[in-house]
Amino acid sequence: MTSLDLIIRAPRAILPDAECAISVGVTGGRIVSIGALDAPANAKETVRLDADTVLLPGLVDSHVHICEPGNTEWEGFLTATRAAAAGGITTLVDMPLDSVPTTVTINALAAKRAAAEGHCHVDVGFWGGAIPSNLADLPKLHAEGVLGFKSFLCDTGTDDFPGITPQHMESVMRVVAGLGSIFIVHAESAEAMASMPDLHTRRYADYLASRPKGIENLAIAEVIEAARASGARAHILHLSSADALPMLASAIADGIKLSVETCPHYLSLCAEEIGDGETAAKVGPPVREAANREKLWAGVAEGTLSMIVSDHSPCTPAMKDPVSGDFGAAWGGISSLQLGLPVTWSEAQRRGHSLVDVVRWMAERPAALAGLPHKGRLAIGGDADFAVFSPDAEFVVDAASLHHRHPITPYAGRPLRGVVQETFLRGHRIDLFGRPRGALIVREASAAQPQELKRSA
């Protein structure tokens, strides 16, 4: 009998289609066997779970802003990946902006990788950026292994990552389609946003009124038509407007290569409960009303919204302008890497969803989006990435206990259900304060094997 490096015996484990009692064998960082709970095996290490815990595949978060290099005081690779591991996430993909330089050239990508090397507790991949001036750089970035390309259709607030026009978007999509890659987009209309007045207010209702659903809806319609014309794969980031769901469903039914994500904050928070001056909850697009939240849940249930990712967008405490509570001046972003699973599970369970559903939304589909076939599922040949989860354990969020760089969260004091007990990366327990073992994920440039991955330790 071949000796395994590790076997995990789990009375409850989440396979792609069901919860089952299984044993999972690991050799060389990969899953090599899935069998009966009591299947005979020789292993160097055996982990036996009890019936109160569930073995999940490591989650995949394809929407994370890590601000290193350049803005490491906002967030860095060490703290972000520590928070991810504490939250059951074993793979994340870094967004191309909020660092200096932004990831819009191969030199900038090299700077990102140099900053990340040796400082990641989980595996990390990178999106490239598409801006008005770098169309010729997209094939070079693709050859260097970025997992796809991100643009904004609105002003980003930063000169080194400007938004693009709908016309330029179609040009980007044609290049991306030719590369066999994917275009991901922050869909809010610059034209519609420009007509809104400058805002200085403590009232959340005023901030919400300044970012109406129509700003999203208009940009989403433009993305749909550019994808239709170009044949590119397109992905809508962080949907907050439930009004857009019917046209998104129609486009998908028409065969347009389109997918859509939303975030835990849009599925748990609601405008009616955000107090004046509570700028920790400011994000763009904004958290909307409770009725909109329930329609988003309906979109998740029927599949138009296919995945749930964090949009972890960190900043320093001062950038949230907590003294004035000015929603106009405060940074728009929510830090939530560590809490995404319990926030989503708490809300999903009360609506009748299962852990099979949550794993599909938070592991399998984000992995597929990023082209990571060895991630996000308990399957033979896949990476041995696991989260050991206690779904019925309850806790109250203490911001000081979170591992992202600054203790800022709109969930402070919120009771949640579900606790991550341990996280494994390629068969090894992640020690949050030990030597980081995460690898940098690179898409192979070879057209013959477009889905293969290579890693540098």
Side-chain angles (χ1 to χ4, degrees), residues 26-382:
V26 176
T27 297
R30 291 287 181 96
I31 297 171
V32 296
S33 65
I34 296 176
L37 179 63
D38 58 354
N42 293 325
K44 297 174 185 176
E45 180 183 5
T46 299
V47 174
R48 298 181 187 276
L49 305 184
D50 59 36
D52 293 328
T53 58
V54 183
L55 184 68
L56 312 181
L59 303 187
V60 178
D61 193 335
S62 55
H63 193 152
V64 180
H65 294 261
I66 301 175
C67 311
E68 187 175 8
N71 289 315
T72 310
E73 69 273 18
W74 302 4
E75 183 76 281
F77 285 99
L78 189 65
T79 49
T81 59
R82 181 181 292 147
I89 298 164
T90 53
T91 306
L92 58 81
V93 189
D94 176 59
M95 285 293 171
L97 72 162
D98 295 335
S99 58
V100 181
T102 56
T103 315
V104 295
T105 66
I106 57 174
N107 289 339
L109 176 63
K112 267 280 190 183
R113 287 180 176 152
E117 192 75 45
H119 294 94
C120 297
H121 287 286
V122 303
D123 289 353
V124 175
F126 300 94
W127 298 115
I131 60 174
S133 62
N134 80 329
L135 198 64
D137 290 288
L138 303 188
K140 301 172 189 176
L141 283 163
H142 180 74
E144 287 297 312
V146 299
L147 304 182
F149 298 93
K150 178 183 183 177
S151 292
F152 280 69
L153 290 178
C154 61
D155 181 15
T156 67
T158 177
D159 293 339
D160 56 358
F161 203 94
I164 61 175
T165 65
Q167 294 74 28
H168 189 73
M169 174 173 60
E170 186 172 331
S171 298
V172 170
M173 283 197 190
R174 292 188 185 282
V175 171
V176 168
L179 295 171
S181 189
I182 187 167
F183 177 72
I184 66 175
V185 58
H186 180 126
E188 289 184 286
S189 166
E191 182 179 1
M193 288 182 72
S195 67
M196 305 304 295
D198 288 340
L199 187 75
H200 293 286
T201 179
R202 286 178 51 84
R203 296 185 68 244
Y204 186 76
D206 293 339
Y207 172 62
L208 182 60
S210 76
R211 301 282 282 267
K213 296 175 185 176
I215 287 176
E216 277 188 270
N217 301 341
L218 175 58
I220 287 167
E222 292 168 338
V223 173
I224 289 170
E225 295 315 312
R228 192 192 307 272
S230 66
R233 287 178 62 210
H235 178 75
I236 304 291
L237 299 166
H238 50 48
L239 183 76
S240 84
S241 170
D243 288 358
L245 288 169
M247 68 171 158
L248 288 164
S250 176
I252 293 168
D254 284 349
I256 295 174
K257 300 172 187 175
L258 184 69
S259 57
V260 194
E261 72 184 35
T262 193
C263 305
H265 41 273
Y266 300 127
L267 297 171
S268 60
L269 305 177
C270 64
E272 294 90 338
E273 296 175 359
I274 298 174
D276 293 347
E278 292 183 359
T279 54
K282 181 184 175 182
V283 65
V287 171
R288 303 191 187 277
E289 304 86 354
N292 181 83
R293 178 185 63 193
E294 298 313 308
K295 291 177 182 177
L296 290 177
W297 270 110
V300 171
E302 61 88 22
T304 302
L305 289 169
S306 60
M307 64 195 76
I308 301 170
V309 293
S310 70
D311 188 12
H312 179 74
S313 184
C315 67
T316 66
M319 292 168 68
K320 278 295 189 181
D321 219 22
V323 175
S324 73
D326 182 349
F327 279 99
W331 176 262
I334 289 176
S335 299
S336 58
L337 265 173
Q338 189 170 338
L339 296 174
L341 176 56
V343 168
T344 302
W345 171 237
S346 298
E347 298 295 326
Q349 186 184 44
R350 80 172 49 110
R351 291 171 175 81
H353 298 291
S354 70
L355 279 172
V356 175
D357 298 323
V358 171
V359 165
R360 187 181 307 118
W361 304 327
M362 301 188 76
E364 183 175 341
R365 287 176 178 167
L369 173 78
L372 306 177
H374 298 307
K375 299 291 189 180
R377 298 187 303 151
L378 298 184
I380 293 174

Side-chain angles (χ1 to χ4, degrees), residues 29 72 118 257 388 395 446-447:
T72 310
K257 300 172 187 175
V388 179
F395 69 103
S446 169

